[in-house]
Amino acid sequence: MSRSRKPAKDLSRREFVHVTAVASAALALPGAPALLGRADTLRIGLIGCGGRGTGAAKDCLTSSEREDTTGGLKAKIRVDDAHAFAGFDAYQKVIASKVDVVLLATPPAFRPRHLAAAIEAGKHVFMEKPVAVDPVGVRSVMASSDRAAQRGLAIVAGTQRRHDAGYQAAMQRIHNGAIGDIVAAQVYWNQGGLWMKPRQPDWSDVEWQIRNWLYFTWLSGDHIVEQHIHNIDVANWALGAHPVKAIGVGGRQWRTDPAYGHIYDHFAIDFEYPNGVHALSMCRQIDGTASRVAERLVGTRGTSDAHSVITGAAPWSWDAQTPRTNPYVQEHADLIASIRAGKPLNEGRQVAETTLSAIMGREAAYTGKEITWDELLNAEQDLVPADVKFGPMPVAPVAMPGQTVLARSWRSA
Amino acid sequence: MHIAGKISLLLLVQNAPPPPPNRDSIPGTLVRFETVPVPAGPVTVPTSRGPRSVAVGPFAIGRTEVTWDDYDVWAFRLDLTPQERSSGVDATARPSRPYGAPDRGFGHHGYPALAMTYFAAQAYCAWLSTKTGKRYRLPTDAEWTRAVLLGLGGDSALTPERRDALGWHAGNAAAKAHAVAAKAADALGLHDMLGNVAEWVTGMDSGRGGVVRGGSWVDRPEHVGPNARARQTPAWNETDPQFPKSRWWLADAPFVGFRIVREP
């Protein structure tokens, strides 16, 4: 029962943000070297103040806490009313608030436009996964990532397995040949259902959908993109590639009530990678079914769970007694350290490719067609309205294999 | 009666089978569970002013740790009809939806429910009481101690062999929790009091939250035993990436479970 992790300072949510939509928090980090000509202070803006965004902000502050900081975390958070904003344009106000780093944690639909605005304004970015819900969004994120690279700006994504010491240790060995050539992979995120907020009479269509963003493809990308992306990312990481094509099945069998929007509740996808390597992907959100959240890599000389065990010719296992930093904190520590070192991390293209990989699986199931990378990357699929505002919005029909087409837009919904 | 007869009668008394367990079920389901009667008596508990003897009344304690078979009924509302589930009307508090695989892939049917908060373990007992009309709750620290010591008989010392026979610990568990009752029963008929999952009990100093007893599959053998106690630390829920963190599930404590007590 002795897990050696550094405990976070206690902090109530109320003390951190008092607006539920969008707020900016300013953070002073004493004793740091000058940054991009600024003083030794990094100011952090938070865009998206739900449970995950608030958690990300807290993890960001915890990640960079210095030993000489007095007053603890509470003293470092200064959000006055003039820097707390609400509304669909609040992200612009946060970005304009003289912050250095922005944390993007709204529902994924808004990520591409928020990222573009942040990079254009010269901000470093942490962004939650997934980073888009459709190919138009993925292309935007790729362009923003390239722009960030040109401008020396950092982008770190919330695919936190990439910042987990166990995954890093296993993956380093795998990339050095510990299991030989990878010939197959299996990745899973099977679990029960998630939360749903019953519609209230005073909610418009758009407000209801955003409050239940998981259940609308235009907002979340569907659960294969929103949740299973973590496991697909591990396959991409291990193989050093993205899939070239996919076929798949999926459906909406149990979670059929309109309160759950129009997303599927299960997918099974066959991803094909370069050199004929296949990865089985399976994800499900159905109560009372077997849960499994895991990855398995099969090589010519062994197998691995990608984070704690390698079997075969070069066996290895993670020593459970080794202190392991919280990857949700480490991802912020890595971001901040890279900014301070003047060597900004840029995970933008990597996470954009993983997002598109997950979208490939979704579209293989939705359309019933074989989906190739090039076809998908260039597809005219644009699911997010250009100008989202509270008001009427019909729910797109549940995707039907053989009928749903890849090229589709919010305009035709 | 000659001397040999007296000796055999004495042995018979000492080796008397434990009293039969109480059998109960969760109405509307096929789930069955058992509690084992524990006689009243004194037990020595540690206090801030040193060890103290306290009197414990009679109670019955779960023969095994609460399993997913039991816990799922509550957590996933399996006792409600589809109409009741969709209506959202429910008399009792239920856990939030677990994120990911709550059983961590260790196993489900027959495996101990794990990684629930002290609050959730208490809420389960409250629900079970409402559901069955009987009085269920967590053991007190003193009750758990009395049960584990009676189970070990007169000798509570643990040789490595005896510890291995009774409990799963870091030295024999292969880095996972195991199905309940896979290890031998103790003299009371209880399984897995030592190791497997550490078990929530009501703390000795009420108001400071719960304590887990017995040690678990993550603990080194010498830390699994009748005196093992631990309190929750921030590390037990550190990687819940949400804020505020869950009050029902512990993201980093797949070594914590509980067993129930039934009041007479």
Side-chain angles (χ1 to χ4, degrees):
Chain A
M1 265 163 278
S2 55
R3 291 262 172 119
S4 46
R5 278 183 172 135
K6 187 181 165 196
K9 292 277 195 303
D10 190 38
L11 170 74
S12 85
R13 185 169 173 175
R14 183 212 297 265
E15 286 163 323
F16 190 70
V17 280
H18 33 85
V19 185
T20 55
V22 178
S24 115
L27 159 66
L29 297 173
L35 171 82
L36 301 177
R38 292 180 192 273
D40 56 354
T41 294
L42 279 178
R43 293 163 58 86
I44 311 294
L46 171 63
I47 298 175
C49 301
R52 180 64 198 114
T54 312
K58 189 164 175 283
D59 287 341
C60 181
L61 302 184
T62 307
S63 75
S64 299
E65 192 163 25
R66 298 294 173 88
E67 290 171 4
D68 60 352
T69 301
T70 53
L73 203 52
K74 291 179 183 178
K76 296 201 295 183
I77 297 169
R78 298 188 294 273
V79 187
D80 57 28
D81 289 345
H83 294 90
F85 312 100
F88 290 105
D89 63 350
Y91 73 99
Q92 295 166 335
K93 297 171 185 169
V94 174
I95 289 169
S97 299
K98 295 180 181 170
V99 295
D100 304 295
V101 182
V102 291
L103 315 179
L104 306 182
T106 64
F110 306 102
R111 198 86 72 248
R113 58 192 65 170
H114 289 177
L115 177 67
I119 297 302
E120 207 48 47
K123 311 302 181 189
H124 303 286
V125 170
F126 169 82
M127 57 179 174
E128 253 306 333
K129 39 49 63 173
V131 298
V133 299
D134 54 27
V136 166
V138 169
R139 293 197 292 271
S140 168
V141 170
M142 287 177 170
S144 294
S145 303
D146 293 350
R147 179 98 173 113
Q150 292 162 5
R151 303 195 66 185
L153 297 170
I155 298 177
V156 164
T159 35
Q160 80 284 346
R161 281 167 173 73
R162 301 257 187 177
H163 299 266
D164 181 305
Y167 276 93
Q168 289 173 338
M171 213 58 95
Q172 185 180 31
R173 285 169 174 79
I174 290 164
H175 287 154
N176 287 336
I179 62 171
D181 295 331
I182 299 175
V183 292
Q186 295 101 36
V187 295
Y188 311 89
W189 195 306
N190 295 336
Q191 66 156 83
L194 289 171
W195 52 266
M196 181 274 289
K197 299 184 191 310
R199 186 165 185 168
Q200 303 301 306
D202 58 333
W203 291 354
S204 66
D205 291 347
V206 167
E207 181 174 356
W208 164 62
Q209 291 183 33
I210 289 178
R211 287 186 185 278
N212 287 282
W213 61 275
L214 292 175
Y215 303 114
F216 299 90
T217 305
W218 75 272
L219 280 158
S220 71
D222 206 325
H223 68 99
I224 186 174
V225 178
E226 197 280 319
Q227 187 171 64
H228 188 38
I229 183 173
H230 285 297
N231 320 101
I232 296 170
D233 187 53
V234 170
N236 283 11
W237 185 10
L239 288 159
H242 58 72
V244 293
K245 59 185 176 184
I247 59 171
V249 296
R252 183 179 163 97
Q253 190 169 8
W254 169 75
R255 197 167 49 190
T256 54
D257 191 290
Y260 296 97
H262 58 191
I263 67 166
Y264 281 7
D265 53 24
H266 64 283
F267 292 87
I269 310 296
D270 174 59
F271 286 111
E272 186 172 332
Y273 284 78
N275 303 316
V277 175
H278 285 253
L280 164 73
S281 131
M282 187 189 294
C283 60
R284 173 168 65 188
Q285 290 182 346
I286 298 181
D287 277 2
T289 61
S291 294
R292 181 183 293 177
V293 179
E295 302 92 25
R296 182 166 180 270
L297 305 169
V298 182
T300 51
R301 297 176 64 231
T303 64
S304 177
D305 66 356
H307 67 91
S308 65
V309 176
I310 292 174
T311 61
W316 166 83
S317 63
W318 175 265
D319 177 4
Q321 305 301 325
T322 306
R324 194 166 178 167
T325 56
N326 178 355
Y328 294 100
V329 173
Q330 190 63 42
E331 59 194 0
H332 292 283
D334 293 345
L335 168 68
I336 301 294
S338 83
I339 295 169
R340 293 195 185 286
K343 295 177 182 170
L345 283 171
N346 189 334
E347 301 179 346
R349 270 205 169 256
Q350 167 190 298
V351 71
E353 288 192 353
T354 295
T355 299
L356 195 70
S357 305
I359 292 172
M360 178 189 276
R362 180 191 75 201
E363 291 302 317
Y366 274 16
T367 65
K369 303 287 197 293
E370 179 177 274
I371 304 291
T372 69
W373 181 265
D374 291 341
E375 167 189 28
L376 183 67
L377 181 60
N378 297 303
E380 286 308 315
Q381 186 189 101
D382 186 7
L383 303 180
V384 186
D387 181 23
V388 179
K389 53 182 180 244
F390 290 132
M393 185 171 194
V395 178
V398 176
M400 181 61 70
Q403 296 176 21
T404 297
V405 295
L406 186 58
R408 56 187 196 274
S409 165
W410 60 273
R411 294 179 182 84
S412 57
Chain B
M1 190 182 292
H2 56 75
I3 189 80
K6 284 182 180 173
I7 289 173
S8 68
L9 183 62
L10 189 64
L11 286 174
L12 192 65
V13 169
Q14 283 193 335
N15 292 332
N22 308 304
R23 293 191 168 79
D24 204 348
S25 62
I26 301 177
T29 75
L30 297 175
V31 172
R32 305 275 184 274
F33 57 94
E34 295 176 353
T35 51
V36 174
V38 180
V43 63
T44 302
V45 297
T47 73
S48 56
R49 285 164 303 201
R52 191 166 65 91
S53 180
V54 297
V56 172
F59 64 99
I61 191 165
R63 192 174 68 81
T64 70
E65 292 153 344
V66 170
T67 65
W68 288 115
D69 308 72
D70 313 327
Y71 203 73
D72 281 353
V73 177
W74 175 59
F76 294 108
R77 298 167 165 76
L78 304 182
D79 54 324
L80 302 182
T81 64
Q83 290 75 22
E84 288 170 328
R85 275 197 288 273
S86 63
S87 76
V89 177
D90 192 354
T92 49
R94 308 264 187 163
S96 58
R97 299 290 193 154
Y99 195 78
D103 62 19
R104 306 302 202 275
F106 299 154
H108 206 81
H109 172 59
Y111 280 70
L114 47 79
M116 75 291 291
T117 60
Y118 176 58
F119 173 80
Q122 288 183 304
Y124 172 85
C125 295
W127 165 82
L128 188 64
S129 301
T130 304
K131 203 74 193 170
T132 59
K134 304 184 178 73
R135 285 180 294 174
Y136 289 104
R137 56 172 171 75
L138 290 180
T140 66
D141 189 82
E143 286 167 343
W144 195 94
T145 301
R146 178 153 174 82
V148 75
L149 292 179
L150 285 175
L152 290 174
D155 179 13
S156 65
L158 288 174
T159 61
E161 293 73 23
R162 195 178 183 206
R163 188 186 276 114
D164 265 352
L166 290 172
W168 295 106
H169 51 72
N172 65 12
K176 66 189 285 285
H178 288 260
V180 300
K183 290 288 187 184
D186 65 16
L188 274 181
L190 308 179
H191 293 271
D192 304 303
M193 289 289 282
L194 308 183
N196 211 21
V197 286
E199 300 175 9
W200 282 120
V201 300
T202 311
M204 297 161 288
D205 38 3
S206 59
R208 276 196 63 200
V211 170
V212 294
R213 297 295 311 271
S216 78
W217 62 269
V218 303
D219 290 312
R220 287 198 292 268
E222 61 270 27
H223 294 150
V224 169
N227 300 315
R229 281 185 178 81
R231 282 190 184 277
Q232 187 176 338
T233 71
W236 290 17
N237 204 15
E238 186 178 5
T239 67
D240 179 347
Q242 302 276 325
F243 190 79
K245 292 175 185 288
S246 176
R247 63 193 300 223
W248 299 101
W249 302 97
L250 296 169
D252 307 297
F255 46 81
V256 168
F258 68 104
R259 75 179 67 216
I260 54 173
V261 149
R262 178 174 156 183
E263 293 187 354

